[in-house]
Amino acid sequence: MILSTLGKQEAERKFETLLNHLSHPPSFTTVRVNTHLASVQHVKNMLSDELQKQLNGLSVPILQHPDLQDVLLIPVIGPRKNIKQQQCEAIVGAQCGNAVLRGAHVYVPGIVSASKFMKAGDVVSVYSDIKGKCKKGAKEFDGTKVFLGNGISESSRKEIFSGLPDLKGIGIRMTEPVYLSPSFDNVLPGYLFLQNLPSTVVTHVLDPQPGERILDMCAAPGGKTTHIAALMRDQGEVIALDKISNKVKKIKQNALLLGLNSIRAFCFDGTKALKLNMVKDTEGEPPFLPESFDRILLDAPCSGMGQRPNMACAWTLKEVTSYQPLQRKLFTVAVKLLKPGGVLVYSTCTITLAENEEQVAWALTTFPCLQLQPQEPQIGGEGMMGAGLSFEQLKQLQRFDPSVVPLPDTDFDSLRDAKVEDMIRLANKDCIGFFIAKFVKCKSTEETDP
């Protein structure tokens, strides 16, 4: 399904390579500067001071991306092989483990089990329960676990599992992580947004202009929404939809934190966003009149098979194939809401053919009014064969496939000798799996009276 054009053995080898890459974090931490509040240089200087403090004076370069001017890249050091594993252990859930691999500390709710003698101030080895088999509150665990590094426990085992609901803070402060990357907990809030590299590319490809009316159909947690508003210099209107109310709250919080006023977020199902009767407009609230947006971003719900790090390969075939109909429903609504001459960008954080190139082929057949467009900037590779798209069409897509480069081994010495252009090339390739397609609507989809 994913690699139907390759021979079976080749496909299996490629899939193994991909799963191996997905279990490691990307080799750079990517942060987007909120250019609405400050210049990139100013934020880069502040971040440099912050990193010096975090890394006790060790110096790690901060690179400005040459094709994404508002993006800064910080190399991740690792995997570090000489960390001594401790007798005292804590097991964390797979999701918490993934966050630790990207620089987070361990928060109390993420701790599944801990050694019976663990007390506050102990040096603890932290492991990820990648198969989800460890029982909450267990004193030891012999199942499959992956070492994440060492940290200092902030609470005792007794406090962590006392059942007190108010324990939400840091449970273990990571001091020797296997992958060393900066923690962004409360670092320069308002100035920085932690985002994956391809997610920042999407908004540049959409290319929003001041004064336009733009729809972000599946917007939570608001990284792309706030990027759209910043690129528009906060002039115009950005409508953000998500159907889960807590997530909509998150979008509003992020807009407030980043000082952006052009964003209006609604708790609303994108598949129902088209107004079917032409009675008066609901004061700019959903559902919306047909052909009322200049640009639309559909960053569609997907199987998420490009996310990194992901050590628990928990996808079922049924789950992976369930997204295609929903994506098509949302896409159909997007086409109808888009003005003639408007731009529609479709993106996913997955690597399957069914959710990406097959959807593009379907869209071009179903909506003759759509034309595939070249993308700027073009940072990912071209699309994958197998969905019946022409070679020219595949060149207009962007597919980020992390398995195209060998997994790097980065330490302070190799960083000292590394060339900037080589680091940028690595950052562009060794990121999460992702897909982007850009369309323009050439003519109206509205029925005209004869």
Side-chain angles (χ1 to χ4, degrees), residues 265-310:
F266 300 98
C267 185
F268 203 82
D269 179 350
T271 62
K272 302 188 173 89
L274 179 71
K275 204 177 177 64
L276 297 169
N277 52 1
M278 301 297 278
V279 197
K280 73 174 183 64
D281 196 4
T282 38
E283 294 308 304
E285 296 191 1
F288 304 108
L289 293 172
E291 306 199 330
S292 57
F293 289 94
D294 297 294
R295 295 174 203 259
I296 297 178
L297 171 60
L298 171 52
D299 184 42
C302 69
S303 58
M305 283 183 76
Q307 289 294 3
R308 297 174 64 188
N310 195 337

Side-chain angles (χ1 to χ4, degrees), residues 89 91 113-116 134-135 137-142 157:
E89 294 183 358
I91 309 286
S113 91
S115 299
K116 59 173 181 275
C134 183
K135 288 196 170 46
K139 290 176 181 152
E140 52 189 40
F141 177 62
D142 295 328
R157 173 195 157 80

Side-chain angles (χ1 to χ4, degrees), residues 97 103 219 416:
R416 222 166 292 139

Side-chain angles (χ1 to χ4, degrees), residues 303 316-327 355:
S303 58
T316 62
L317 194 58
K318 187 176 175 213
E319 191 187 11
V320 171
T321 48
S322 69
Y323 288 95
Q324 204 184 48
L326 171 61
Q327 291 159 350
E355 297 170 85

Side-chain angles (χ1 to χ4, degrees), residues 44-288:
K44 190 178 169 183
N45 294 342
M46 290 196 292
L47 185 57
S48 183
D49 295 344
E50 169 65 31
L51 293 193
Q52 286 275 331
K53 272 190 290 211
Q54 276 196 33
L55 299 171
N56 299 326
L58 287 170
S59 99
V60 167
I62 300 174
L63 311 174
Q64 183 176 1
H65 197 291
D67 304 311
L68 305 160
Q69 294 293 309
D70 50 1
V71 169
L72 298 175
L73 302 164
I74 301 128
V76 172
I77 307 286
R80 300 192 296 165
K81 300 184 176 62
N82 49 1
I83 299 171
K84 187 173 181 295
Q85 297 182 22
Q86 305 293 311
Q87 255 190 309
C88 190
E89 294 183 358
I91 309 286
V92 301
Q95 240 183 327
C96 172
N98 292 341
V100 170
L101 286 175
R102 294 200 77 168
H105 294 295
V106 176
Y107 285 75
V108 172
I111 301 174
V112 185
S113 91
S115 299
K116 59 173 181 275
F117 47 82
M118 183 175 104
K119 53 192 189 308
D122 283 353
V123 178
V124 186
S125 282
V126 179
Y127 298 84
S128 178
D129 169 25
I130 59 170
K131 293 191 173 165
K133 296 276 196 257
C134 183
K135 288 196 170 46
K136 185 89 177 172
K139 290 176 181 152
E140 52 189 40
F141 177 62
D142 295 328
T144 310
K145 58 187 180 186
V146 174
F147 181 53
L148 305 174
N150 295 337
I152 292 173
S153 111
E154 302 265 313
S155 314
S156 69
R157 173 195 157 80
K158 198 173 165 192
E159 287 164 335
I160 290 168
F161 298 115
S162 63
L164 289 174
D166 53 347
L167 268 183
K168 288 196 176 73
I170 292 179
I172 300 166
R173 197 171 288 282
M174 296 302 294
T175 49
E176 290 184 289
V178 169
Y179 282 95
L180 181 63
S181 53
S183 162
F184 279 90
D185 294 340
N186 267 325
V187 171
L188 305 178
Y191 292 107
L192 286 181
F193 201 95
L194 206 50
Q195 241 176 327
N196 286 299
L197 184 92
S199 306
T200 65
V201 175
V202 173
T203 314
H204 283 286
V205 167
L206 184 69
D207 193 25
Q209 300 300 313
E212 289 182 331
R213 186 170 192 235
I214 297 189
L215 176 63
D216 187 351
M217 279 183 92
C218 307
K224 298 179 189 75
T225 314
T226 52
H227 196 186
I228 291 169
L231 289 183
M232 290 164 73
R233 299 200 283 280
D234 208 24
Q235 295 162 24
E237 188 179 20
V238 185
I239 303 274
L241 304 182
D242 205 276
K243 61 180 192 182
I244 298 166
S245 62
N246 273 356
K247 290 185 170 185
V248 176
K249 214 181 280 175
K250 191 82 188 135
I251 299 170
K252 289 179 175 173
Q253 280 170 353
N254 279 325
L256 197 64
L257 183 65
L258 300 171
L260 297 160
N261 301 310
S262 56
I263 295 169
R264 299 180 67 199
F266 300 98
C267 185
F268 203 82
D269 179 350
T271 62
K272 302 188 173 89
L274 179 71
K275 204 177 177 64
L276 297 169
N277 52 1
M278 301 297 278
V279 197
K280 73 174 183 64
D281 196 4
T282 38
E283 294 308 304
E285 296 191 1
F288 304 108

